[in-house]
Amino acid sequence: TQDIHGAWKLADAVSLYITPLHLVILDDAKLLRAVPLTEVQQIMALPRMDAPDEDGLVRFRVAEESMAFAIEQHQLFADKLAEAARRSLEEPLLRKQKGYDEEWE
């Protein structure tokens, strides 16, 4: 969360994993949330103004909710999250399959 002066107050540490369909948020082994990548928008990597030498922030929106996480390589993570979110919106390529009779001709 961010206070009135713009300083960030960090919550307890969590782990973030990007899967093909979700951004998974874990607290140790406990699943806190699986955010569908199709809902992740407005991804930004931001340096922390209140602590420039600390980990940067990755901020994004999910529906009407803003989420932010302090991450060591924040720009790299933001880029990977944006790529995964973009790919989740693409139509998958489908191969045309031959019929059983066509294989033996």
Side-chain angles (χ1 to χ4, degrees):
T1 59
Q2 197 171 18
D3 70 16
I4 194 166
H5 304 289
W8 288 92
K9 180 181 176 192
L10 301 179
D12 293 334
V14 295
S15 299
L16 302 177
Y17 296 94
I18 301 172
T19 70
L21 298 176
H22 295 91
L23 172 65
V24 178
I25 306 169
L26 297 174
D27 181 8
D28 290 322
K30 180 183 174 190
L31 175 65
L32 297 178
R33 191 161 176 188
V35 178
L37 289 173
T38 55
E39 296 180 15
V40 176
Q41 300 178 3
Q42 300 177 7
I43 302 162
M44 298 172 60
L46 305 165
R48 287 185 53 192
M49 298 298 189
D50 62 326
D53 296 333
E54 298 292 323
D55 298 338
L57 298 174
V58 174
R59 188 172 69 184
F60 54 90
R61 292 189 58 76
V62 176
E64 297 299 317
E65 178 184 7
S66 290
M67 301 180 83
F69 297 91
I71 298 176
E72 188 173 312
Q73 295 181 358
H74 63 287
Q75 185 63 57
L76 178 63
F77 189 88
D79 293 343
K80 289 185 180 290
L81 181 59
E83 177 69 15
R86 183 185 61 77
R87 287 183 183 214
S88 73
L89 298 173
E90 293 177 349
E91 291 290 323
L93 295 175
L94 300 176
R95 290 184 174 174
K96 182 178 177 183
Q97 295 190 5
K98 294 182 179 181
Y100 181 77
D101 294 335
E102 293 175 10
E103 290 181 17
W104 299 103
E105 290 180 6

XYZ file of all heavy atoms in Angstrom:
844
model
N 0.839 -1.188 0.000
C 0.000 0.000 0.000
C 0.877 1.242 0.000
O 2.031 1.201 0.371
C -0.932 0.015 1.228
O -0.139 -0.025 2.393
C -1.907 -1.140 1.186
N 0.285 2.334 -0.392
C 1.013 3.602 -0.498
C 0.380 4.615 0.452
O -0.838 4.747 0.495
C 0.938 4.091 -1.940
C 1.951 5.138 -2.292
C 1.963 5.428 -3.792
O 1.030 5.105 -4.505
N 3.010 6.050 -4.245
N 1.229 5.323 1.207
C 0.675 6.301 2.145
C 0.420 7.640 1.449
O 0.684 7.797 0.263
C 1.560 6.453 3.391
C 2.892 7.143 3.111
O 3.053 7.775 2.046
O 3.776 7.052 3.977
N -0.065 8.597 2.173
C -0.444 9.896 1.625
C 0.746 10.657 1.032
O 0.593 11.498 0.163
C -1.176 10.739 2.693
C -1.859 11.923 2.045
C -0.230 11.157 3.788
C -2.857 12.610 2.937
N 1.962 10.337 1.500
C 3.169 10.999 1.008
C 3.824 10.260 -0.153
O 4.865 10.679 -0.639
C 4.174 11.157 2.149
C 3.605 11.895 3.313
N 3.340 13.245 3.280
C 3.216 11.473 4.539
C 2.821 13.622 4.434
N 2.729 12.562 5.217
N 3.239 9.158 -0.567
C 3.768 8.397 -1.693
C 4.731 7.295 -1.308
O 5.237 6.598 -2.168
N 4.995 7.119 -0.032
C 5.898 6.053 0.406
C 5.134 4.727 0.436
O 3.970 4.672 0.837
C 6.463 6.363 1.784
N 5.810 3.687 0.011
C 5.191 2.368 -0.031
C 5.439 1.633 1.269
O 6.542 1.621 1.794
C 5.755 1.555 -1.193
C 5.283 2.048 -2.512
C 5.897 2.961 -3.315
C 4.092 1.676 -3.172
N 5.145 3.179 -4.435
C 4.032 2.399 -4.379
C 3.049 0.807 -2.872
C 2.999 2.276 -5.280
C 2.015 0.684 -3.782
C 1.999 1.415 -4.959
N 4.408 1.026 1.806
C 4.527 0.152 2.962
C 4.354 -1.271 2.441
O 3.298 -1.618 1.909
C 3.451 0.470 3.997
C 3.528 -0.419 5.210
C 2.444 -0.102 6.200
C 2.517 -1.101 7.345
N 1.341 -1.019 8.182
N 5.403 -2.070 2.573
C 5.373 -3.413 2.019
C 4.712 -4.388 2.977
O 4.931 -4.341 4.181
C 6.791 -3.882 1.696
C 7.562 -3.007 0.703
C 8.954 -3.571 0.487
C 6.821 -2.876 -0.613
N 3.910 -5.283 2.415
C 3.285 -6.352 3.191
C 4.279 -7.515 3.286
O 5.412 -7.411 2.810
C 1.989 -6.790 2.509
N 3.850 -8.604 3.858
C 4.704 -9.785 3.964
C 5.096 -10.285 2.573
O 4.347 -10.123 1.601
C 3.977 -10.898 4.722
C 3.741 -10.530 6.185
O 4.520 -9.714 6.716
O 2.787 -11.062 6.774
N 6.250 -10.918 2.489
C 6.767 -11.424 1.212
C 5.884 -12.555 0.676
O 5.381 -13.380 1.444
C 8.193 -11.918 1.386
N 5.693 -12.544 -0.617
C 4.978 -13.602 -1.322
C 5.824 -14.012 -2.524
O 6.783 -13.327 -2.885
C 3.569 -13.153 -1.793
C 2.669 -12.847 -0.612
C 3.650 -11.961 -2.725
N 5.456 -15.117 -3.151
C 6.122 -15.574 -4.365
C 5.171 -15.406 -5.535
O 3.976 -15.690 -5.415
C 6.518 -17.049 -4.242
O 7.416 -17.234 -3.182
N 5.702 -14.938 -6.662
C 4.913 -14.771 -7.876
C 5.426 -15.717 -8.949
O 6.643 -15.823 -9.153
C 5.016 -13.338 -8.391
C 4.587 -12.223 -7.461
C 4.834 -10.874 -8.115
C 3.129 -12.359 -7.078
N 4.519 -16.380 -9.638
C 4.869 -17.274 -10.730
C 3.977 -16.969 -11.917
O 2.759 -16.866 -11.770
C 4.687 -18.743 -10.326
C 5.610 -19.173 -9.219
C 5.198 -19.130 -7.888
C 6.902 -19.588 -9.497
C 6.052 -19.508 -6.869
C 7.766 -19.969 -8.476
C 7.327 -19.929 -7.169
O 8.177 -20.297 -6.165
N 4.586 -16.842 -13.076
C 3.824 -16.645 -14.312
C 3.668 -18.004 -14.969
O 4.655 -18.654 -15.304
C 4.545 -15.673 -15.263
C 4.742 -14.318 -14.594
C 3.756 -15.532 -16.564
C 5.613 -13.361 -15.390
N 2.420 -18.430 -15.118
C 2.114 -19.670 -15.822
C 1.482 -19.291 -17.154
O 1.193 -18.108 -17.385
C 1.151 -20.554 -15.001
O -0.143 -19.940 -14.973
C 1.650 -20.767 -13.575
N 1.241 -20.242 -18.044
C 0.638 -19.868 -19.329
C -0.725 -19.172 -19.224
O -1.078 -18.375 -20.085
C 0.508 -21.205 -20.060
C 1.618 -22.033 -19.495
C 1.679 -21.638 -18.041
N -1.479 -19.436 -18.156
C -2.822 -18.859 -18.041
C -3.012 -17.912 -16.860
O -3.953 -17.124 -16.842
C -3.874 -19.974 -17.945
C -3.964 -20.899 -19.159
C -4.973 -22.004 -18.896
C -4.340 -20.116 -20.399
N -2.136 -17.986 -15.850
C -2.351 -17.227 -14.618
C -1.059 -16.633 -14.070
O 0.021 -17.161 -14.317
C -2.947 -18.128 -13.524
C -4.310 -18.629 -13.836
N -4.522 -19.809 -14.494
C -5.530 -18.114 -13.584
C -5.818 -20.003 -14.642
N -6.457 -18.980 -14.094
N -1.226 -15.578 -13.307
C -0.179 -15.095 -12.417
C -0.549 -15.669 -11.055
O -1.599 -15.351 -10.495
C -0.148 -13.567 -12.360
C 0.802 -12.983 -11.313
C 2.249 -13.333 -11.653
C 0.629 -11.487 -11.219
N 0.295 -16.550 -10.550
C 0.011 -17.254 -9.308
C 0.740 -16.545 -8.171
O 1.929 -16.269 -8.260
C 0.451 -18.732 -9.409
C 0.213 -19.458 -8.096
C -0.296 -19.421 -10.550
N 0.004 -16.260 -7.098
C 0.557 -15.596 -5.922
C 0.493 -16.580 -4.766
O -0.585 -17.035 -4.384
C -0.234 -14.313 -5.592
C -0.290 -13.399 -6.817
C 0.388 -13.597 -4.397
C -1.254 -12.242 -6.684
N 1.687 -16.917 -4.224
C 1.789 -17.897 -3.152
C 2.388 -17.271 -1.898
O 3.281 -16.434 -1.982
C 2.693 -19.063 -3.568
C 2.260 -19.923 -4.743
C 3.348 -20.923 -5.080
C 0.964 -20.641 -4.433
N 1.907 -17.729 -0.762
C 2.515 -17.424 0.529
C 3.059 -18.749 1.027
O 2.295 -19.591 1.501
C 1.478 -16.852 1.487
C 2.060 -16.498 2.841
O 3.297 -16.547 2.992
O 1.270 -16.181 3.745
N 4.369 -18.941 0.904
C 4.989 -20.251 1.112
C 4.328 -21.234 0.147
O 4.424 -21.047 -1.045
C 4.914 -20.699 2.570
C 5.821 -19.863 3.464
O 6.933 -19.513 3.011
O 5.420 -19.573 4.595
N 3.644 -22.248 0.632
C 2.993 -23.219 -0.245
C 1.489 -22.950 -0.368
O 0.787 -23.680 -1.056
C 3.221 -24.634 0.268
N 1.003 -21.911 0.282
C -0.435 -21.602 0.274
C -0.774 -20.693 -0.908
O -0.177 -19.626 -1.082
C -0.812 -20.924 1.585
C -2.272 -20.555 1.674
C -2.563 -19.825 2.972
C -3.995 -19.343 2.988
N -4.227 -18.431 4.110
N -1.731 -21.121 -1.701
C -2.196 -20.319 -2.837
C -3.034 -19.162 -2.316
O -4.062 -19.359 -1.673
C -3.029 -21.176 -3.793
C -3.665 -20.436 -4.965
C -2.588 -19.889 -5.906
C -4.626 -21.335 -5.706
N -2.566 -17.950 -2.572
C -3.332 -16.771 -2.186
C -4.286 -16.360 -3.290
O -5.416 -15.955 -3.034
C -2.394 -15.606 -1.858
C -1.462 -15.795 -0.673
C -0.563 -14.577 -0.507
C -2.264 -16.041 0.597
N -3.783 -16.475 -4.545
C -4.605 -16.019 -5.672
C -4.011 -16.509 -6.979
O -2.801 -16.574 -7.120
C -4.647 -14.498 -5.664
C -5.639 -13.897 -6.595
C -5.918 -12.485 -6.182
N -6.819 -11.865 -7.130
C -7.135 -10.608 -7.122
N -6.620 -9.808 -6.211
N -7.960 -10.102 -8.005
N -4.879 -16.819 -7.914
C -4.467 -17.135 -9.282
C -5.175 -16.123 -10.178
O -6.380 -16.211 -10.394
C -4.832 -18.563 -9.660
N -4.433 -15.146 -10.650
C -4.999 -14.061 -11.446
C -4.947 -14.456 -12.920
O -3.866 -14.709 -13.456
C -4.193 -12.757 -11.241
C -4.740 -11.637 -12.092
C -4.171 -12.372 -9.769
N -6.087 -14.528 -13.608
C -6.056 -14.851 -15.031
C -5.265 -13.787 -15.807
O -5.500 -12.586 -15.635
C -7.532 -14.841 -15.445
C -8.288 -15.001 -14.164
C -7.446 -14.364 -13.104
N -4.331 -14.222 -16.632
C -3.510 -13.277 -17.390
C -4.345 -12.445 -18.353
O -3.961 -11.324 -18.687
C -2.416 -14.020 -18.148
C -1.304 -14.590 -17.272
C -0.364 -15.441 -18.111
C -0.551 -13.492 -16.563
N -5.492 -12.946 -18.763
C -6.363 -12.188 -19.663
C -6.913 -10.931 -18.996
O -7.365 -10.019 -19.665
C -7.543 -13.055 -20.143
O -8.230 -13.572 -19.000
C -7.062 -14.197 -21.025
N -6.866 -10.876 -17.655
C -7.391 -9.729 -16.915
C -6.309 -8.742 -16.480
O -6.625 -7.687 -15.920
C -8.162 -10.219 -15.685
C -9.390 -11.040 -16.034
C -10.132 -11.521 -14.807
O -9.878 -11.008 -13.704
O -10.976 -12.414 -14.962
N -5.041 -9.080 -16.705
C -3.934 -8.222 -16.279
C -3.730 -7.118 -17.318
O -3.563 -7.385 -18.498
C -2.642 -9.047 -16.093
C -1.472 -8.141 -15.759
C -2.836 -10.095 -15.007
N -3.765 -5.862 -16.873
C -3.635 -4.709 -17.771
C -2.753 -3.635 -17.133
O -2.494 -3.665 -15.937
C -5.004 -4.107 -18.059
C -5.968 -5.046 -18.717
C -7.318 -4.385 -18.926
O -7.528 -3.220 -18.631
N -8.264 -5.149 -19.434
N -2.330 -2.694 -17.935
C -1.580 -1.508 -17.484
C -0.377 -1.884 -16.619
O -0.195 -1.382 -15.514
C -2.497 -0.541 -16.741
C -3.636 -0.030 -17.572
C -4.573 0.866 -16.794
O -4.324 1.220 -15.659
N -5.678 1.241 -17.428
N 0.463 -2.757 -17.139
C 1.635 -3.235 -16.405
C 2.730 -2.183 -16.466
O 3.063 -1.680 -17.533
C 2.126 -4.561 -17.006
C 1.000 -5.593 -16.953
C 3.382 -5.059 -16.289
C 1.187 -6.760 -17.876
N 3.284 -1.852 -15.301
C 4.339 -0.836 -15.228
C 5.436 -1.291 -14.290
O 5.157 -1.885 -13.247
C 3.764 0.486 -14.706
C 2.697 1.096 -15.585
S 1.900 2.526 -14.800
C 3.274 3.604 -14.571
N 6.685 -1.005 -14.654
C 7.824 -1.212 -13.771
C 8.239 0.158 -13.254
O 8.467 1.075 -14.041
C 8.969 -1.876 -14.521
N 8.323 0.287 -11.939
C 8.603 1.589 -11.335
C 9.733 1.488 -10.322
O 9.745 0.565 -9.507
C 7.358 2.106 -10.601
C 6.077 2.204 -11.408
C 4.890 2.376 -10.487
C 6.179 3.350 -12.374
N 10.657 2.441 -10.347
C 11.635 2.482 -9.261
C 10.940 3.012 -8.013
O 9.958 3.752 -8.094
C 12.691 3.464 -9.765
C 11.958 4.334 -10.736
C 10.872 3.481 -11.340
N 11.443 2.646 -6.860
C 10.865 3.150 -5.618
C 11.488 4.494 -5.302
O 12.679 4.595 -5.058
C 11.113 2.166 -4.488
C 10.236 0.939 -4.614
C 10.375 0.003 -3.467
N 10.174 0.676 -2.192
C 10.465 0.107 -1.028
N 10.955 -1.106 -0.989
N 10.267 0.763 0.088
N 10.697 5.543 -5.302
C 11.179 6.886 -4.991
C 11.565 7.029 -3.521
O 12.477 7.760 -3.179
C 10.116 7.930 -5.340
C 9.769 7.953 -6.794
S 11.203 8.388 -7.768
C 10.482 8.598 -9.348
N 10.863 6.280 -2.662
C 11.145 6.366 -1.234
C 12.393 5.579 -0.839
O 12.965 5.818 0.214
C 9.933 5.871 -0.422
C 9.612 4.412 -0.692
O 9.807 3.965 -1.836
O 9.161 3.718 0.230
N 12.802 4.630 -1.688
C 13.988 3.811 -1.393
C 14.633 3.414 -2.719
O 14.469 2.293 -3.185
C 13.587 2.588 -0.581
N 15.345 4.338 -3.362
C 15.895 4.079 -4.701
C 16.848 2.893 -4.782
O 16.987 2.297 -5.848
C 16.634 5.373 -5.047
C 16.205 6.384 -4.059
C 15.647 5.667 -2.886
N 17.478 2.525 -3.683
C 18.411 1.399 -3.699
C 17.728 0.054 -3.444
O 18.373 -0.983 -3.511
C 19.515 1.617 -2.658
C 20.362 2.835 -2.992
O 20.464 3.181 -4.186
O 20.901 3.451 -2.049
N 16.443 0.089 -3.144
C 15.689 -1.137 -2.870
C 15.093 -1.683 -4.165
O 15.201 -1.081 -5.228
C 14.566 -0.840 -1.870
C 15.052 -0.350 -0.524
C 15.789 -1.431 0.254
O 15.387 -2.608 0.185
O 16.768 -1.088 0.941
N 14.447 -2.856 -4.039
C 13.796 -3.478 -5.198
C 12.748 -2.533 -5.780
O 12.076 -1.809 -5.048
C 13.110 -4.783 -4.779
C 14.093 -5.805 -4.243
O 15.290 -5.697 -4.562
O 13.659 -6.711 -3.513
N 12.592 -2.572 -7.112
C 11.581 -1.751 -7.770
C 10.206 -2.390 -7.658
O 10.041 -3.483 -7.119
N 9.210 -1.689 -8.174
C 7.835 -2.162 -8.102
C 7.332 -2.562 -9.477
O 7.669 -1.944 -10.484
C 6.925 -1.064 -7.555
C 7.219 -0.580 -6.142
C 6.323 0.616 -5.823
C 7.024 -1.694 -5.137
N 6.506 -3.583 -9.486
C 5.726 -3.938 -10.668
C 4.286 -3.683 -10.276
O 3.783 -4.247 -9.303
C 5.930 -5.409 -11.084
C 4.996 -5.774 -12.226
C 7.377 -5.644 -11.484
N 3.646 -2.794 -11.027
C 2.264 -2.424 -10.734
C 1.402 -2.748 -11.937
O 1.820 -2.555 -13.084
C 2.171 -0.938 -10.397
C 0.799 -0.529 -9.907
C 0.795 0.873 -9.399
N 0.971 1.792 -10.528
C 1.081 3.099 -10.403
N 1.073 3.651 -9.210
N 1.218 3.859 -11.458
N 0.190 -3.222 -11.687
C -0.737 -3.547 -12.776
C -2.158 -3.526 -12.243
O -2.384 -3.444 -11.038
C -0.402 -4.915 -13.400
C -0.337 -6.048 -12.419
C -1.455 -6.801 -12.116
C 0.859 -6.365 -11.787
C -1.388 -7.845 -11.210
C 0.942 -7.405 -10.880
C -0.186 -8.143 -10.593
N -3.100 -3.581 -13.173
C -4.518 -3.586 -12.814
C -5.130 -4.926 -13.182
O -4.798 -5.506 -14.201
C -5.276 -2.469 -13.513
C -4.861 -1.092 -13.014
C -5.733 0.037 -13.511
N -7.148 -0.067 -13.185
C -7.672 0.185 -11.985
N -6.902 0.522 -10.984
N -8.960 0.107 -11.794
N -6.039 -5.374 -12.320
C -6.837 -6.574 -12.563
C -8.272 -6.155 -12.318
O -8.630 -5.835 -11.184
C -6.438 -7.729 -11.616
C -7.342 -8.928 -11.835
C -4.981 -8.101 -11.807
N -9.037 -6.100 -13.394
C -10.406 -5.571 -13.322
C -10.326 -4.155 -12.746
O -9.648 -3.314 -13.301
C -11.309 -6.493 -12.530
N -10.958 -3.877 -11.621
C -10.941 -2.543 -11.016
C -9.916 -2.423 -9.888
O -9.872 -1.416 -9.197
C -12.343 -2.205 -10.477
C -13.408 -2.138 -11.556
C -13.118 -1.056 -12.591
O -12.712 0.053 -12.209
O -13.294 -1.332 -13.780
N -9.102 -3.444 -9.694
C -8.147 -3.478 -8.586
C -6.724 -3.209 -9.077
O -6.298 -3.728 -10.097
C -8.202 -4.870 -7.951
C -7.249 -5.096 -6.834
C -7.290 -6.520 -6.310
O -7.977 -7.380 -6.895
O -6.601 -6.767 -5.313
N -5.993 -2.387 -8.341
C -4.571 -2.169 -8.611
C -3.762 -3.071 -7.700
O -4.074 -3.200 -6.513
C -4.176 -0.714 -8.353
O -4.739 0.117 -9.329
N -2.715 -3.670 -8.251
C -1.833 -4.528 -7.478
C -0.404 -4.054 -7.708
O -0.063 -3.622 -8.814
C -1.984 -5.986 -7.899
C -3.392 -6.524 -7.743
S -3.539 -8.241 -8.238
C -2.987 -9.012 -6.733
N 0.436 -4.146 -6.688
C 1.842 -3.757 -6.805
C 2.682 -4.691 -5.951
O 2.281 -5.053 -4.842
C 2.042 -2.311 -6.381
N 3.837 -5.056 -6.491
C 4.754 -5.948 -5.790
C 6.162 -5.411 -5.933
O 6.560 -4.958 -7.007
C 4.690 -7.360 -6.387
C 3.349 -8.012 -6.228
C 2.374 -7.892 -7.201
C 3.048 -8.736 -5.082
C 1.136 -8.483 -7.055
C 1.811 -9.329 -4.921
C 0.857 -9.207 -5.908
N 6.935 -5.475 -4.848
C 8.357 -5.124 -4.888
C 9.107 -6.360 -5.367
O 8.989 -7.427 -4.783
C 8.847 -4.701 -3.514
N 9.866 -6.177 -6.458
C 10.538 -7.308 -7.095
C 11.967 -6.906 -7.427
O 12.216 -5.790 -7.907
C 9.784 -7.737 -8.372
C 8.376 -8.200 -8.002
C 10.539 -8.825 -9.112
C 7.511 -8.556 -9.166
N 12.887 -7.824 -7.198
C 14.309 -7.546 -7.400
C 14.609 -7.073 -8.814
O 15.202 -6.030 -9.007
C 15.120 -8.798 -7.077
C 16.608 -8.560 -7.059
C 17.358 -9.773 -6.579
O 16.978 -10.339 -5.544
O 18.333 -10.159 -7.251
N 14.231 -7.816 -9.804
C 14.447 -7.413 -11.200
C 13.097 -6.987 -11.775
O 12.526 -7.650 -12.633
C 15.058 -8.559 -11.990
C 16.439 -8.930 -11.511
C 17.055 -10.054 -12.322
O 16.457 -10.595 -13.232
N 18.276 -10.400 -11.983
N 12.615 -5.849 -11.295
C 11.249 -5.420 -11.598
C 11.000 -5.171 -13.084
O 9.944 -5.507 -13.591
C 10.859 -4.211 -10.754
C 11.690 -2.997 -11.003
N 12.994 -2.886 -10.579
C 11.397 -1.842 -11.634
C 13.470 -1.720 -10.941
N 12.522 -1.056 -11.580
N 11.954 -4.601 -13.800
C 11.736 -4.346 -15.226
C 11.629 -5.652 -16.007
O 10.748 -5.811 -16.852
C 12.865 -3.482 -15.804
C 12.638 -3.079 -17.255
C 11.403 -2.216 -17.442
O 11.290 -1.161 -16.835
N 10.459 -2.656 -18.266
N 12.489 -6.605 -15.721
C 12.450 -7.905 -16.389
C 11.139 -8.626 -16.102
O 10.496 -9.154 -17.014
C 13.643 -8.758 -15.949
C 13.708 -10.171 -16.520
C 13.860 -10.125 -18.038
C 14.861 -10.939 -15.897
N 10.708 -8.622 -14.839
C 9.454 -9.283 -14.489
C 8.272 -8.602 -15.171
O 7.374 -9.270 -15.687
C 9.245 -9.316 -12.971
C 8.084 -10.178 -12.565
C 8.259 -11.525 -12.346
C 6.818 -9.635 -12.416
C 7.184 -12.336 -11.990
C 5.745 -10.423 -12.063
C 5.928 -11.777 -11.849
N 8.260 -7.283 -15.200
C 7.167 -6.547 -15.859
C 7.110 -6.885 -17.345
O 6.030 -7.075 -17.909
C 7.338 -5.052 -15.653
N 8.271 -6.977 -17.995
C 8.316 -7.339 -19.418
C 7.770 -8.745 -19.648
O 6.998 -8.982 -20.578
C 9.746 -7.247 -19.957
C 10.270 -5.822 -19.999
O 9.455 -4.874 -19.920
O 11.504 -5.654 -20.108
N 8.165 -9.678 -18.789
C 7.689 -11.062 -18.935
C 6.190 -11.164 -18.654
O 5.476 -11.895 -19.330
C 8.474 -11.997 -18.020
C 9.908 -12.202 -18.485
C 10.614 -13.226 -17.638
C 12.035 -13.437 -18.108
N 12.142 -14.103 -19.387
N 5.703 -10.414 -17.678
C 4.278 -10.419 -17.374
C 3.481 -9.817 -18.527
O 2.439 -10.346 -18.913
C 4.014 -9.657 -16.072
C 2.565 -9.589 -15.605
C 1.988 -10.987 -15.397
C 2.462 -8.768 -14.327
N 3.975 -8.738 -19.096
C 3.287 -8.112 -20.232
C 3.237 -9.060 -21.426
O 2.208 -9.164 -22.104
C 3.991 -6.808 -20.607
N 4.342 -9.750 -21.692
C 4.380 -10.713 -22.800
C 3.395 -11.857 -22.554
O 2.655 -12.259 -23.448
C 5.798 -11.258 -22.963
C 5.949 -12.311 -24.023
C 5.790 -11.799 -25.441
O 5.835 -10.572 -25.654
O 5.610 -12.628 -26.352
N 3.366 -12.381 -21.339
C 2.447 -13.475 -21.017
C 0.990 -13.019 -21.117
O 0.138 -13.749 -21.625
C 2.743 -14.010 -19.623
N 0.702 -11.812 -20.654
C -0.665 -11.285 -20.734
C -1.080 -11.093 -22.189
O -2.205 -11.407 -22.571
C -0.762 -9.977 -19.962
N -0.157 -10.589 -23.014
C -0.456 -10.402 -24.435
C -0.727 -11.745 -25.112
O -1.693 -11.902 -25.856
C 0.694 -9.691 -25.130
C 0.424 -9.389 -26.605
C 1.633 -8.797 -27.298
N 2.779 -9.674 -27.297
C 2.938 -10.731 -28.101
N 1.995 -11.059 -28.943
N 4.025 -11.468 -28.033
N 0.113 -12.726 -24.811
C -0.058 -14.044 -25.433
C -1.355 -14.715 -25.007
O -1.935 -15.491 -25.760
C 1.125 -14.947 -25.099
C 2.352 -14.551 -25.851
C 3.485 -15.491 -25.560
N 4.667 -15.027 -26.250
C 5.576 -15.819 -26.758
N 5.451 -17.113 -26.640
N 6.612 -15.315 -27.368
N -1.810 -14.446 -23.791
C -3.052 -15.068 -23.322
C -4.265 -14.576 -24.111
O -5.302 -15.226 -24.114
C -3.252 -14.809 -21.834
O -3.614 -13.466 -21.598
N -4.120 -13.434 -24.770
C -5.230 -12.871 -25.544
C -5.220 -13.318 -27.004
O -6.191 -13.109 -27.715
C -5.182 -11.343 -25.487
C -5.341 -10.746 -24.094
C -5.101 -9.240 -24.145
C -6.693 -11.069 -23.512
N -4.118 -13.928 -27.448
C -4.007 -14.355 -28.838
C -4.800 -15.626 -29.071
O -4.938 -16.467 -28.188
C -2.541 -14.606 -29.202
C -1.699 -13.364 -29.197
C -0.234 -13.655 -29.494
O 0.163 -14.847 -29.501
O 0.507 -12.688 -29.697
N -5.285 -15.760 -30.286
C -5.959 -16.983 -30.684
C -4.907 -18.063 -30.900
O -3.911 -17.827 -31.576
C -6.737 -16.774 -31.995
C -7.934 -15.869 -31.857
C -9.053 -16.514 -31.061
O -9.264 -17.740 -31.188
O -9.707 -15.788 -30.294
N -5.104 -19.259 -30.343
C -4.117 -20.315 -30.562
C -4.150 -20.796 -32.013
O -5.201 -20.808 -32.653
C -4.559 -21.423 -29.610
C -5.996 -21.161 -29.350
C -6.191 -19.673 -29.491
N -2.986 -21.155 -32.517
C -2.910 -21.710 -33.862
C -3.368 -23.156 -33.810
O -2.901 -23.941 -32.989
C -1.477 -21.640 -34.392
C -0.922 -20.236 -34.599
C 0.542 -20.322 -35.014
C -1.719 -19.497 -35.653
N -4.287 -23.499 -34.692
C -4.788 -24.866 -34.750
C -4.287 -25.515 -36.022
O -4.374 -24.941 -37.104
C -6.315 -24.883 -34.708
C -6.964 -24.275 -33.465
C -8.473 -24.279 -33.607
C -6.550 -25.051 -32.234
N -3.753 -26.690 -35.882
C -3.301 -27.436 -37.051
C -4.479 -28.136 -37.683
O -5.338 -28.683 -36.997
C -2.269 -28.478 -36.654
C -0.968 -27.904 -36.250
C -0.013 -29.024 -35.987
N 1.298 -28.510 -35.723
C 2.310 -29.238 -35.344
N 2.152 -30.535 -35.177
N 3.482 -28.700 -35.133
N -4.480 -28.124 -39.000
C -5.494 -28.872 -39.707
C -5.082 -30.329 -39.657
O -3.975 -30.693 -40.048
C -5.605 -28.394 -41.152
C -6.674 -29.091 -41.936
C -6.765 -28.550 -43.326
C -7.805 -29.329 -44.109
N -7.876 -28.884 -45.493
N -5.964 -31.166 -39.155
C -5.634 -32.581 -39.041
C -6.218 -33.330 -40.222
O -7.335 -33.077 -40.663
C -6.170 -33.140 -37.736
C -5.503 -32.513 -36.535
C -5.865 -33.240 -35.256
O -6.530 -34.259 -35.285
N -5.421 -32.689 -34.142
N -5.418 -34.245 -40.710
C -5.866 -35.069 -41.823
C -6.869 -36.089 -41.304
O -6.750 -36.583 -40.196
C -4.694 -35.822 -42.445
C -3.687 -34.926 -43.113
C -2.600 -35.759 -43.722
C -1.596 -34.869 -44.425
N -0.537 -35.664 -45.050
N -7.813 -36.393 -42.160
C -8.760 -37.449 -41.823
C -8.080 -38.801 -41.924
O -7.002 -38.945 -42.499
N -8.678 -39.817 -41.397
C -8.088 -41.152 -41.388
C -7.851 -41.635 -42.821
O -6.811 -42.205 -43.121
C -9.021 -42.109 -40.632
C -8.474 -43.502 -40.565
C -7.456 -43.812 -39.683
C -8.984 -44.521 -41.388
C -6.944 -45.104 -39.607
C -8.483 -45.794 -41.326
C -7.462 -46.094 -40.435
O -6.953 -47.361 -40.373
N -8.791 -41.394 -43.716
C -8.665 -41.853 -45.095
C -7.567 -41.111 -45.843
O -6.910 -41.674 -46.707
C -9.984 -41.695 -45.849
C -11.063 -42.619 -45.274
O -10.694 -43.656 -44.674
O -12.243 -42.300 -45.424
N -7.347 -39.829 -45.530
C -6.360 -39.027 -46.238
C -4.932 -39.491 -45.964
O -4.063 -39.341 -46.792
C -6.486 -37.560 -45.827
C -7.770 -36.908 -46.282
C -7.895 -35.484 -45.754
O -6.918 -34.967 -45.200
O -8.980 -34.900 -45.894
N -4.689 -40.098 -44.826
C -3.343 -40.524 -44.471
C -2.859 -41.657 -45.360
O -1.670 -41.800 -45.598
C -3.284 -40.984 -43.012
C -3.429 -39.847 -42.030
C -3.340 -40.332 -40.598
O -2.864 -41.460 -40.375
O -3.754 -39.577 -39.706
N -3.755 -42.454 -45.863
C -3.355 -43.643 -46.622
C -3.421 -43.455 -48.117
O -3.169 -44.363 -48.870
C -4.239 -44.816 -46.196
C -4.071 -45.097 -44.747
C -4.910 -44.764 -43.751
C -2.956 -45.728 -44.122
N -4.425 -45.144 -42.544
C -3.195 -45.752 -42.743
C -1.743 -46.265 -44.576
C -2.313 -46.297 -41.836
C -0.883 -46.808 -43.664
C -1.161 -46.813 -42.307
N -3.721 -42.271 -48.568
C -3.794 -42.046 -50.014
C -2.447 -41.778 -50.615
O -1.527 -41.348 -50.049
C -4.736 -40.884 -50.305
C -6.170 -41.231 -50.020
C -7.099 -40.062 -50.320
O -6.665 -39.027 -50.841
O -8.271 -40.183 -50.024
